[in-house]
Amino acid sequence: MADIKRADLKEMKGVSDRDKQMIADAEQILGPEPSQMGAVKNFFWGNLRDELYFPYPEIAKESPEETAECDQLVAELEEYLRTEHPSIEIDQEQYIPEWVIKKLFELGVLGMTISKEYGGLGMGITSYNRILETIGKYCGSTAVMVSAHQSIGCKAVMLYGTDEQKERWLPKLAREWLSAFCLSEPQVGCDAGGQETTIELTEDGEHYIINGEKKWATSGAISGLFTVMGKQTIDGKQRVTAVVCTPDMDGIDIFSKNRSKMCIRGTWQARIKFTNVKVPKANLLHKEGKGLGLALTCLNYGRCTLSAGMLGGAKRAMDQSIKWAQTRYQFQRPLADFELVQKRVAYMSSLCYAMDSVLYMTTGMLDRHDDDIMLETAICKVFCSEMGWRTVDNAMQIMGGEGTMTENELERIFRDSRINTIVEGANEVMQSFIFAYGGKQLAEKMLGIKDMVDNKKFTPTLIKASIPLGMEVFLGIRKKAPKFNNVHPSLQPSLRRMNRLISELTYQFKVISKKKDAAIVTAQATQARLADAAMYLHAWACTLSRLDKDIRNGESGTEFDRNNVSAIHFFDLAELAIGQAFRELHENADDTMLAAANAAFAHSSTLPNNLFAIPESSPSDKGTGRELKQDHIKQFPGTSSNSSGGDGRSQMTETIDQL
C-alpha cells in the first residue's frame, strides 16, 4: 500500500462535524507524522522493527562511568531512604519537610538530568528513572515531587530554552529551586489543548500578558519557577504558547497551596490565578504557538518517571507480600502452600519483570533519541500504572487485614498507586490515543484504497495494494508473520508466538475497521481492545528482549531463575489477554453496555444536583452541587508572592528578585 495516497479521515462519510473537529484538533496537537514509524505503529501494519527492540538498551546512555556513578547514587540514596527519610510523617502530616528537599538537592537527585555545565549531574534518562524507582519503593510523595520538578517542571527549559535562559535558570533549578508545570486548569485535564488561560503579546511586542487559572501545579507553592501554558491569538487563530514565570511577578496569586487528598499526600498541588501578569518576551519558551508540542514532549518524560515510581512501589509491595505468605500460617500451613496464593505471587512476579522491561526499554529509546516515541511512552504509562496497581492490589490481598494497617506501610503504597492510572493522561484517554495514533496511517491508506475503488480508478498501483488487503478482509488470509528470529534458542518459541500475534493484530484492525466504518471513530470500547492488544505485544517484545539479554550475559542465581520463569509466564498471560481482546471485538456486550449506561444517565438526571459533588467549572451545572463540608479537613490557604517553604511554616530565605 506504499504508493496509495492516504485519504483524510475527516472526510470519511458518516463522521459527524463534532468528530471531524476532534480529529482536526488532534492532528494539530500531534503535528506532522515522523519520517519513520516507531515500534508500536509498525505492529498495526503487521511488522516488527526488530532493531528498535533488539538488543535491549544498555543502562547508561554514554559510558560505564555513568553507570558506576548512578550505582553509587542509588546505594547512597537507598541508605538515606531506609534509615532517615520520614515517609510516614510526610504521608500523615501532608508535607515534605524543607530539610528533605535540601538533602535531595545535596545528593544531586533534584538536578541529576541537568547538565554538569549548569551544576547538575548530567545523567541520562535511564539513570534518572533508576533513581525514581528507588524513591518509589519508600515514598510515593517524594517520587512525585522529584518527578514533577525534573521531568516536566524544568524540562522545557532544558529542552527548549535559549542559552541565555539556561544560564539564567538551570543553575538554580539544579541546586536550590523546585519548579512547577502549569498546564491543567479547572476545565482542562486530559484535554491539554483546551486551554482557557490566555497569553497575549502587548502592543509594543515586549511583554506577554497572562490571564487565567491553573490547577494541580505540583510544588507550585514552593517553587521558584513556573512553566505556564496558555492560548495566544496568532494570525486570527488560537494556539498554545509556553512562557516562564516567577512567583514574584505582580498578578500571580497562589490562592491554595494544596488540598488534602487520599494519596501522595506529601505533595502539594497549588491553585494559581494569573491576573494581567506581565512577562518579559525574553521568557518565551521555544516559539509562539508551539507550546502544546513542548508540553507533550515534556509529558513523554513524565510518563516514564511516573512508571518508575510505580515500579518501585510495586516491587516493594510484592516482596513484602511474598515474605508474608511464607511466614503467615493458616490451617497449620504457610499461605505460600496454597495454590491461589501461588497464583497471585506468580502474577505479581511476572508483571514486575514485564514492567521493568517496558520502563527501561522506553528510557533507552528516549536516551538514544528515537524519532517516533509518543506511543511507546503512552504505553509505558498505561502498562506500568495498571499492572503496578494490580500488583499492589494482589499484595494487599495476600497480607489480608494486616495489609491495611498503617505501620506495615503497604496501605500507603496502595493509596499512592491509585493516582497513577489517572494522572499524566487517564488510561482510558491513552487507550484511545494508542489506537488512533497507532492505526491512523494504516486507516488513511485503507480509506485511500476504498476511495479509488469507489471512483473506479483501477490502476496497477491500486490492484497491487488492494489484492492483499482484500485477501485479509474478505478471505481471512493473514499477512505472513514477521521473520525476525535472532534471539536465544530457548526463546524462539516465545518469539514465534509473538510474531503470529503481530500478524493477527493487523488483520483484526483491518476487519473491524471495515465492519465499523465511520462508527470506529467513537467506538472507544473497540478502540481500547485493539490498544490493549498492541500494549501487550509491546510489553512482550520488551520482556523478550530483556530476557534475551539476561541469558546472553550469563545471568544466574535465584533472582535470574525467578525472572526467567516469570517472563515465560508473562508471555502466557499476554497471549491470553490479547486473545480475549480479539474475541471481544466480535463477541461482546457493548450494545447492552450502552443501553445500561444511558438508562443510568437518565435516572441520574432525575436526582437533584444539590445532593452530589459537581465539578466547580461545569459548563452546564456550575454552582448547583452540594456544599462540601471541610470543617475537619486540613486546609492549605494561599500565600503571598514570597512562597512558603516545603513545610508551609517558613518563608523562602532567598528572594525571587535574584531571578
Side-chain angles (χ1 to χ4, degrees):
M1 291 190 282
D3 297 324
I4 297 293
K5 182 179 179 181
R6 288 161 53 182
D8 189 342
L9 294 178
K10 298 188 294 298
E11 302 305 318
M12 186 165 50
K13 293 179 181 178
V15 177
S16 69
D17 290 341
R18 184 172 67 172
D19 291 332
K20 288 179 180 178
Q21 185 60 52
M22 180 181 68
I23 295 171
D25 290 343
E27 290 175 340
Q28 178 190 327
I29 290 172
L30 296 172
E33 295 280 357
S35 58
Q36 285 190 326
M37 289 188 293
V40 175
K41 280 184 185 174
N42 270 274
F43 287 161
F44 284 88
W45 292 77
N47 302 326
L48 172 66
R49 282 194 66 186
D50 54 272
E51 77 279 9
L52 296 179
Y53 288 109
F54 300 90
Y56 196 80
E58 295 297 326
I59 290 178
K61 68 172 183 175
E62 292 178 352
S63 65
E65 288 78 15
E66 180 182 322
T67 302
E69 186 180 359
C70 186
D71 288 345
Q72 182 177 348
L73 181 57
V74 167
E76 186 177 358
L77 176 63
E78 184 139 27
E79 175 67 17
Y80 156 72
L81 290 167
R82 188 177 60 82
T83 60
E84 297 181 50
H85 191 70
S87 302
I88 295 176
E89 176 188 352
I90 286 171
D91 180 67
Q92 295 192 341
E93 298 300 325
Q94 303 183 62
Y95 72 89
I96 298 175
E98 288 188 24
W99 71 264
V100 170
I101 298 174
K102 290 178 180 177
K103 176 71 173 181
L104 294 173
F105 272 119
E106 290 170 2
L107 288 171
V109 167
L110 284 166
M112 64 176 300
T113 61
I114 296 174
S115 69
K116 294 180 179 180
E117 176 186 1
Y118 300 110
L121 299 184
M123 291 190 183
I125 304 303
T126 298
S127 297
Y128 172 47
N129 277 269
R130 291 181 63 201
I131 295 297
L132 263 296
E133 180 189 339
T134 303
I135 298 173
K137 289 168 59 178
Y138 295 93
C139 184
S141 291
T142 303
V144 170
M145 186 267 291
V146 173
S147 174
H149 168 60
Q150 259 186 119
S151 301
I152 55 177
C154 64
K155 180 61 72 174
V157 177
M158 295 167 59
L159 293 176
Y160 296 100
T162 64
D163 290 342
E164 187 277 332
Q165 289 173 336
K166 291 178 181 179
E167 291 171 2
R168 185 180 177 192
W169 294 314
L170 288 184
K172 291 290 186 182
L173 295 171
R175 296 189 296 264
E176 298 177 46
W177 289 344
L178 291 177
S179 56
F181 193 66
C182 300
L183 178 65
S184 298
E185 300 180 2
Q187 192 61 20
V188 177
C190 293
D191 179 15
Q195 300 290 306
E196 295 180 348
T197 295
T198 61
I199 298 178
E200 297 293 355
L201 195 62
T202 56
E203 290 186 4
D204 62 10
E206 295 299 320
H207 293 84
Y208 295 100
I209 304 298
I210 307 178
N211 283 284
E213 180 182 330
K214 294 296 178 178
K215 191 177 184 182
W216 310 121
T218 297
S219 301
I222 52 175
S223 291
L225 180 145
F226 309 146
T227 299
V228 183
M229 310 291 167
K231 282 284 182 68
Q232 180 183 4
T233 304
I234 301 173
D235 297 329
K237 296 181 179 180
Q238 296 284 296
R239 297 284 187 266
V240 176
T241 291
V243 298
V244 168
C245 293
T246 54
D248 63 324
M249 291 178 173
D250 291 338
I252 291 180
D253 178 18
I254 303 172
F255 66 95
S256 173
K257 292 183 292 188
N258 186 31
R259 289 165 67 195
S260 187
K261 51 194 174 291
M262 174 188 80
C263 52
I264 55 169
R265 285 161 58 86
T267 60
W268 282 10
Q269 284 74 39
R271 301 193 65 174
I272 309 172
K273 286 181 181 177
F274 297 83
T275 305
N276 294 324
V277 178
K278 193 174 182 180
V279 181
K281 191 173 183 181
N283 287 26
L284 171 69
L285 278 173
H286 197 27
K287 299 177 182 178
E288 292 182 340
K290 299 295 184 180
L292 198 52
L294 175 151
L296 294 175
T297 298
C298 292
L299 289 173
N300 284 337
Y301 295 90
R303 286 169 181 154
C304 284
T305 48
L306 177 150
S307 300
M310 179 71 261
L311 176 61
K315 284 183 177 180
R316 191 173 188 209
M318 175 186 70
D319 290 342
Q320 170 61 67
S321 66
I322 292 175
K323 185 64 70 175
W324 192 269
Q326 293 174 303
T327 56
R328 164 69 166 163
Y329 281 67
Q330 289 287 275
F331 309 103
Q332 294 80 50
R333 301 167 65 185
L335 295 181
D337 274 6
F338 296 97
E339 188 173 85
L340 289 179
V341 173
Q342 293 168 6
K343 181 181 178 181
R344 292 185 186 276
V345 168
Y347 189 59
M348 292 188 297
S349 184
S350 297
L351 293 187
C352 281
Y353 187 72
M355 284 189 286
D356 195 295
S357 302
V358 169
L359 171 62
Y360 292 110
M361 176 68 76
T362 311
T363 62
M365 290 176 170
L366 285 166
D367 270 334
R368 71 189 184 204
H369 305 293
D370 284 9
D371 290 334
D372 194 10
I373 195 72
M374 293 182 72
L375 281 176
E376 289 71 21
T377 58
I379 285 178
C380 182
K381 186 270 173 181
V382 175
F383 186 79
C384 290
S385 64
E386 177 61 33
M387 303 308 158
W389 167 250
R390 293 183 191 181
T391 299
V392 176
D393 188 48
N394 275 271
M396 179 67 76
Q397 190 70 18
I398 289 173
M399 286 194 66
E402 280 292 338
T404 68
M405 298 296 105
T406 300
E407 66 267 23
N408 288 321
E409 299 192 49
L410 181 60
E411 64 88 23
R412 187 178 75 245
I413 299 175
F414 185 86
R415 287 186 286 106
D416 286 346
S417 298
R418 187 61 187 86
I419 193 64
N420 292 325
T421 63
I422 299 170
V423 296
E424 303 284 7
N427 284 3
E428 293 82 1
V429 175
M430 291 292 98
Q431 285 174 308
S432 289
F433 168 71
I434 292 164
F435 164 82
Y437 193 52
K440 181 176 182 287
Q441 289 166 288
L442 177 56
E444 290 171 341
K445 285 287 186 180
M446 292 171 60
L447 188 59
I449 291 174
K450 181 178 183 298
D451 289 346
M452 290 182 72
V453 171
D454 290 344
N455 293 313
K456 297 181 171 53
K457 296 180 179 178
F458 297 107
T459 65
T461 298
L462 173 64
I463 294 171
K464 182 179 178 181
S466 61
I467 288 177
L469 178 62
M471 290 174 68
E472 278 193 274
V473 173
F474 295 106
L475 300 180
I477 300 175
R478 274 66 164 173
K479 178 180 178 179
K480 288 184 179 180
K483 294 183 178 180
F484 174 76
N485 59 8
N486 188 23
V487 297
H488 190 271
S490 66
L491 301 178
Q492 290 284 343
S494 298
L495 176 62
R496 288 193 293 270
R497 290 162 63 194
M498 182 188 79
N499 285 341
R500 286 195 298 270
L501 289 169
I502 291 172
S503 175
E504 188 67 17
L505 174 63
T506 191
Y507 168 75
Q508 294 291 346
F509 179 89
K510 292 164 185 171
V511 168
I512 203 67
S513 294
K514 177 184 178 298
K515 179 180 178 180
K516 290 282 187 180
D517 198 36
I520 194 79
V521 173
T522 55
Q524 288 189 313
T526 297
Q527 295 173 8
R529 292 170 186 128
L530 288 165
D532 285 350
M535 176 183 72
Y536 274 106
L537 282 169
H538 177 66
W540 191 323
C542 295
T543 305
L544 186 67
S545 178
R546 173 69 176 276
L547 182 57
D548 179 63
K549 176 187 174 185
D550 289 349
I551 294 173
R552 292 178 187 274
N553 286 349
E555 299 289 342
S556 61
T558 58
E559 183 176 3
F560 168 74
D561 292 341
R562 180 199 66 182
N563 292 343
N564 188 1
V565 179
S566 295
I568 300 302
H569 183 49
F570 174 73
F571 300 149
D572 286 345
L573 295 173
E575 186 166 19
L576 290 170
I578 292 168
Q580 181 179 347
F582 288 157
R583 285 191 298 274
E584 290 184 359
L585 289 172
H586 310 285
E587 299 177 10
N588 54 63
D590 290 357
D591 289 343
T592 52
M593 175 272 290
L594 293 170
N598 288 331
F601 289 137
H603 174 66
S604 177
S605 296
T606 68
L607 305 178
N609 283 5
N610 61 12
L611 297 179
F612 303 94
I614 299 294
E616 62 175 308
S617 57
S618 169
S620 58
D621 296 88
K622 180 179 179 180
T624 64
R626 69 177 176 87
E627 183 178 351
L628 303 180
K629 297 180 180 180
Q630 301 191 52
D631 295 346
H632 302 288
I633 299 175
K634 184 175 180 178
Q635 299 298 308
F636 300 81
T639 67
S640 64
S641 60
N642 281 334
S643 302
S644 291
D647 59 5
R649 298 169 186 163
S650 60
Q651 296 293 317
M652 279 183 165
T653 57
E654 185 172 19
T655 64
I656 303 299
D657 290 340
Q658 292 179 329
L659 281 161

